[in-house]
Amino acid sequence: MQFEMSSLIPVLPEVFLLTMACVVLVVDLFLKDEQRIVSYALAQIALLLAAGLTVAVGSAETQIIFDNHVIRDPMSDLLKTTICLVSAGAFLYAKDYLRDRDLFKGEYYALGLFAVLGMMVMVSANSFLTIYLGLELLSLSLYAMVAFNRDSKAGSEAAMKYFVLGAIASGMLLYGISMIYGATGSIVFQEVANGIPNTDMNDMVLVFGLVFVVIGLSFKLGAVPFHMWVPDVYHGAPTSVTMFIGSAPKLAAFALAMRMLVDGLGALHADWQQMLVIMSVLSLATGNVIAIAQTNIKRMLAYSTISHVGFILLGILAGTQEGYTAAMFYTIVYSIMALGGFGIVIMLSRRGFEADQLDDYKGLHDRSPWYAAMMMLLMFSMAGVPPTVGFFAKLFVLDAVIRVDMVWIALFGVFFSIIGAFYYIRIVKIMYFDKPVDDAPLAPVGMDTQVLLTVNGLSMLGLGLFPAGLLTLCSAALS
Amino acid sequence: MTFEKFLFYVFAAVLVFAATMVITRRNPVHSALFLVLAFFSSAGIWLLAEAEFLAIVLVLVYVGAVMVLFLFVVMMLDVDVATMRAGFMRNLPVGLLILFVLVLEMFIVVGPGIFGLDMIPAPAPQPADYNNTAVLGSVLYTVYMYPFEIAAVILLVAIVAAIGLTMRKRPETKSQNQSAQVQVRSEDRVRVVKMASEQKMEIKR
C-alpha cells in the first residue's frame, strides 16, 4: 500500500499540536519555577498557530483520508479554529489564577494541549473508532485537570465522580457502537449511513444501539437525565479548569452529536429525534429551575450549562439544515459566553479567596464599573436579552424548530428561557443595586487579561448587532 | 452437540459463575482472582471463535500484567469492605430489576431471533496455516494507523496524568540524595573527639 506524505496535510493542525504538547512536556523539565511562563507561552503559541494552520489547510471541499478514519470539511475547520481560540482564551484567563494557587505547572498546559488535541480528533473523526479515541483523549486529560489541585478535597472528589461516570458513559457508547457495527458491518460513518437502508436485519438492533449511543452522548453533553456530574464537577474543580471544561469541550460534544447522529445514523432521524426531544425538554426545565436555588455561582453556571445544552439539542433534533446551523451558532456563542462568565469569576478571585458565592458580586459596580458592565453583557447574553448575541442564538434555534412544525416544544423553550432569565438578571441586580459585602480591593489583573475580558464582553454586543457574519460562517460550514 | 459447542458452554458457564463471584465475594483478593478466572474463560471462548491472537493477548496482558498489578494494589490498600457494601442489600432489588430488564433486552436484540445461525450463517473456518497475527498486523499499521497513533497519545496522557497527580513534594515523604551519598567523606561521618584522659584519682586514706 502506498503512503502519500501529502495525505498528512489535512491533519497538519493535529500533528503540530501533538508535537507542541510533547515540546511543552520536555521543555518544562528544564525550567525553574519562576520560568514557568515559558511553558505557558509555548502552549499559547501552539494553540494560535494550530488555529492558523487549520485555516491555512482549510477549504470548501471535503477530504477523507487515512482509510476513511479522518474527515476534513468546512465544519471541522470552523469548529477546530474556534476550539483553539477559545482554549487559548481559557489559558490566558487562568494564568494569574494558577500562579496564585501554586498550580502554575507545565503539566497543566501539556494536559490542556492534549485535551485540545482530543477535541480536534473528535471534530474531524469519520469513524466510530476515531471519535471514541478522541473522546477518551479529551476525557482522560480533563479528569487529570479536575484533580489538578491535589490539596483540594472537593477537587479530588469531583475528579473521582467525573471519572467513574465518564467511564460508565464511555462503556455505554461502546456498547451502542458494537450493536451498530453488528447491524451494518462497518464503523465508518458513510458506510454505516449506506448500510442502514440495505440491512435486511430487524430495525431493533439499530435502535437498541442508537439508545446506548445517545445515552453516552448525553452524558458527555450533560443533558438531563445524565447531568448529575455537571454541578459537582463544575463546583469542585479549580475555576480555571471549570472554565476550560465549560467552554471548548461543548464544541467537541456538538461535533460528536453531528458526526454520529447526522453523518452516521442520519437514516434513524425519526428515532433519535424523539429521544432528543425528551432530553432537551428535561434539560431546559431542570437546568433553569434548579439554577434559581443556587447560591454558588459556579453551580449556578453549571445548571445554566444544562439548560443551554437543551437549546443545542433543540437545534439538532430539528434535523434540517437551518437546525444544524442554529445549533452550531448556539454552541459557538455559548462557548464564548461561558469563557467570559467564568473569566469574571477568576478575575474576582485572589490568593486564598474564591469569588464563587453570589454575595461576592454584590455592589460590583462600585468596586469596578468595567467588570460589572462586562458581566452584565455576558449575563444578558446568556439570558437571551436583545441586542446581545444570546438572543439571536435562541431565536435561530426556535425558528428552526418552528419550521419543522414543533411549535409546542419551541413554546416550551421560550417559557423556560423566561424562567431562566430570572437568575441571570438577579446577578445584574446584585451587581448594580446592592451594597458591597466585600470591601477588599480587587486583585490587580494583567493588561492581557483585561483586554481579553473587554473583547469577550463586547463581542456579545458586537455579534448581537451583526450576527450575520458568524451565521454565514456556520451555514457555509454545514452546506 | 459437537465438542466445540460443548466447550463453549463450559467456558460460558465458568465465565458467568466467575463474574458473579467477582462482585459477591467479601474478600477483594478473592474477587481479583475470580476476575482472572473470568479472563481465562473468555480467552477460551475467543480461541473457539478463531481469534487466537486476541485470546493470547488477553491472557498475557490482562492476566499477566494488569491483574497482577491489581492484586498488588488490592493487597496494599486497606479497603474497608463493610462500608463499601453498606447499601448492597438495600439497592439489591433495584439492581436485580435493571439486570432482569437488560438481560431480557439483550436476549431479544442479540438473541437467536436476529443474530441466530439461520439469520447470519456461520463463517467458513479458516485453513490451518491461516496466520491471525500477521493479518492483524498488516491492517493495524496501515488502515488503522491514525487510530493507533491516537491510542498511543492516550497512553502518554495516562502517564503524564499519573505522574502529575502523584509526584509532589510532601513534608512526610523521604527521598534519597544520591549525589550527597556519593560525595560524603569520612570526616563528615566520623568525628574524632579529643578529650583529656582522666587522671587517676588518688584515694586518700
Side-chain angles (χ1 to χ4, degrees):
Chain A
M1 199 187 83
Q2 207 67 33
F3 179 72
E4 289 269 341
M5 266 320 255
S6 63
S7 72
L8 280 177
I9 289 178
V11 291
L12 209 55
E14 281 95 334
V15 174
F16 173 74
L17 205 64
L18 173 59
T19 317
M20 283 306 283
C22 296
V23 167
V24 169
L25 211 52
V26 174
V27 167
D28 187 68
L29 282 178
F30 298 96
L31 295 177
K32 293 190 188 65
D33 263 348
E34 58 272 19
Q35 295 169 325
R36 289 285 169 240
I37 195 81
V38 176
S39 310
Y40 163 75
L42 280 175
Q44 286 290 31
I45 292 170
L47 286 175
L48 295 179
L49 280 181
L53 275 176
T54 312
V55 175
V57 302
S59 63
E61 70 200 76
T62 301
Q63 289 163 293
I64 295 180
I65 46 168
F66 282 112
D67 288 283
N68 297 332
H69 283 297
V70 182
I71 185 171
R72 194 216 56 72
D73 57 2
M75 178 176 111
S76 74
D77 291 339
L78 180 59
L79 285 177
K80 277 195 229 176
T81 318
T82 324
I83 285 172
C84 286
L85 294 179
V86 168
S87 309
F91 279 3
L92 209 168
Y93 275 128
K95 183 179 50 144
D96 294 331
Y97 179 90
L98 293 173
R99 194 181 277 153
D100 285 348
R101 280 159 189 76
D102 301 324
L103 298 176
F104 198 53
K105 293 178 194 155
E107 290 93 60
Y108 186 89
Y109 295 107
L111 286 173
L113 289 183
F114 281 125
V116 175
L117 177 66
M119 293 183 230
M120 290 169 82
V121 170
M122 280 164 79
V123 165
S124 56
N126 197 39
S127 72
F128 279 113
L129 180 60
T130 322
I131 213 160
Y132 173 73
L133 287 172
L135 181 63
E136 282 304 290
L137 182 54
L138 168 67
S139 313
L140 267 180
S141 316
L142 289 184
Y143 302 147
M145 285 174 85
V146 170
F148 209 72
N149 187 0
R150 290 288 281 110
D151 299 324
S152 148
K153 232 182 143 181
S156 308
E157 190 192 323
M160 207 56 222
K161 225 172 244 176
Y162 193 20
F163 178 72
V164 171
L165 287 177
I168 294 175
S170 297
M172 298 260 184
L173 187 62
L174 275 183
Y175 191 64
I177 292 173
S178 73
M179 288 295 146
I180 289 164
Y181 177 63
T184 61
S186 177
I187 50 170
V188 175
F189 290 143
Q190 283 83 21
E191 290 169 22
V192 169
N194 293 336
I196 288 176
N198 299 334
T199 178
D200 48 356
M201 203 178 273
N202 195 326
D203 215 25
M204 207 197 295
V205 183
L206 279 169
V207 177
F208 188 68
L210 178 69
V211 170
F212 281 93
V213 167
V214 169
I215 290 176
L217 174 74
S218 48
F219 251 115
K220 300 293 172 188
L221 269 170
V224 182
F226 309 104
H227 66 292
M228 289 79 75
W229 60 273
V230 180
D232 289 339
V233 171
Y234 275 40
H235 185 192
T239 313
S240 61
V241 179
T242 310
M243 172 169 65
F244 188 64
I245 295 181
S247 51
K250 290 286 172 280
L251 292 160
F254 168 75
L256 185 72
M258 286 299 287
R259 296 281 183 221
M260 289 200 309
L261 296 184
V262 180
D263 287 4
L265 304 169
L268 299 177
H269 173 251
D271 294 301
W272 55 254
Q273 188 181 40
Q274 293 168 2
M275 303 177 201
L276 293 198
V277 164
I278 296 170
M279 288 195 307
S280 135
V281 164
L282 286 176
S283 302
L284 284 167
T286 316
N288 280 322
V289 171
I290 300 186
I292 294 174
Q294 305 303 317
T295 55
N296 183 305
I297 193 163
K298 279 161 84 179
R299 283 192 95 83
M300 193 203 89
L301 287 174
Y303 282 105
S304 119
T305 302
I306 296 172
S307 71
H308 287 294
V309 164
F311 258 101
I312 295 171
L313 289 179
L314 272 189
I316 297 175
L317 68 85
T320 55
Q321 189 67 32
E322 292 94 47
Y324 301 144
T325 310
M328 193 168 177
F329 184 86
Y330 201 105
T331 318
I332 292 176
V333 166
Y334 174 71
S335 68
I336 302 174
M337 288 194 293
L339 186 69
F342 285 111
I344 295 264
V345 179
I346 281 187
M347 290 168 78
L348 293 184
S349 304
R350 52 182 181 269
R351 191 182 274 275
F353 171 74
E354 298 280 336
D356 58 359
Q357 296 300 317
L358 285 184
D359 284 349
D360 300 329
Y361 293 81
K362 280 189 176 163
L364 184 63
H365 178 64
D366 296 339
R367 297 166 69 201
S368 168
W370 190 242
Y371 286 1
M374 293 299 117
M375 188 66 167
M376 180 179 73
L377 281 178
L378 289 162
M379 286 298 129
F380 275 163
S381 184
M382 283 195 189
V385 176
T388 52
V389 67
F391 168 73
F392 290 100
K394 285 191 165 55
L395 181 71
F396 296 145
V397 168
L398 294 174
D399 182 50
V401 174
I402 289 172
R403 270 165 201 261
V404 291
D405 294 328
M406 301 178 88
V407 180
W408 67 272
I409 194 171
L411 282 175
F412 198 84
V414 172
F415 177 69
F416 278 103
S417 297
I418 295 171
I419 294 182
F422 164 73
Y423 60 89
Y424 295 122
I425 293 176
R426 180 174 61 184
I427 292 199
V428 177
K429 178 237 163 199
I430 60 178
M431 282 193 310
Y432 279 89
F433 302 111
D434 285 3
K435 287 273 166 290
V437 177
D438 178 19
D439 280 332
L442 294 172
V445 171
M447 198 61 193
D448 44 357
T449 319
Q450 286 187 1
V451 170
L452 176 63
L453 179 72
T454 308
V455 171
N456 202 332
L458 290 183
S459 68
M460 294 295 109
L461 202 58
L463 285 174
L465 292 173
F466 307 104
L470 183 58
L471 191 66
T472 318
L473 274 180
C474 289
S475 73
L478 286 167
S479 59
Chain B
M1 189 189 282
T2 59
F3 183 60
E4 274 183 35
K5 209 170 181 181
F6 170 73
L7 270 184
F8 170 79
Y9 281 116
V10 170
F11 280 128
V14 174
L15 176 58
V16 171
F17 166 74
T20 320
M21 293 306 257
V22 171
I23 53 169
T24 49
R25 286 303 85 191
R26 285 189 182 279
N27 188 334
V29 177
H30 291 180
S31 293
L33 289 174
F34 272 114
L35 197 55
V36 170
L37 180 61
F39 282 141
F40 262 113
S41 355
S42 29
I45 294 179
W46 287 4
L47 268 181
L48 288 179
E50 294 187 17
E52 295 91 2
F53 178 72
L54 289 181
I56 302 292
V57 166
L58 184 70
V59 172
L60 283 184
V61 176
Y62 276 86
V63 178
V66 176
M67 282 319 294
V68 171
L69 210 65
F70 203 77
L71 265 180
F72 271 124
V73 174
V74 167
M75 285 176 180
M76 275 202 269
L77 289 182
D78 183 23
V79 184
D80 187 5
V81 187
T83 48
M84 273 171 64
R85 302 174 61 94
F88 187 79
M89 284 315 288
R90 203 184 60 226
N91 295 330
L92 191 63
V94 183
L96 282 179
L97 185 73
I98 292 176
L99 177 84
F100 177 73
V101 172
L102 269 181
V103 169
L104 191 72
E105 272 184 343
M106 278 185 197
F107 185 77
I108 295 172
V109 174
V110 203
I114 292 173
F115 283 99
L117 275 180
D118 46 336
M119 309 298 286
I120 300 174
Q126 301 289 352
D129 59 344
Y130 183 77
N131 192 338
N132 216 315
T133 320
V135 174
L136 259 182
S138 70
V139 291
L140 188 60
Y141 303 111
T142 52
V143 179
Y144 295 97
M145 185 180 81
Y146 187 79
F148 183 77
E149 297 284 337
I150 302 299
V153 179
I154 291 178
L155 290 182
L156 177 65
V157 168
I159 298 172
V160 173
I163 296 178
L165 291 182
T166 50
M167 283 275 283
R168 58 189 186 127
K169 289 210 171 57
R170 278 178 302 183
E172 69 265 32
T173 39
K174 298 191 171 71
S175 59
Q176 260 184 320
N177 185 350
Q178 287 93 343
S179 114
Q181 283 178 333
V182 172
Q183 288 178 352
V184 78
R185 292 167 304 166
S186 56
E187 297 93 85
D188 301 337
R189 291 274 170 91
V190 184
R191 191 159 56 98
V192 182
V193 183
K194 284 249 182 322
M195 289 177 76
S197 52
E198 275 181 41
Q199 295 295 317
K200 190 178 180 187
M201 277 213 283
E202 285 195 19
I203 301 157
K204 284 178 184 169
R205 305 199 174 191

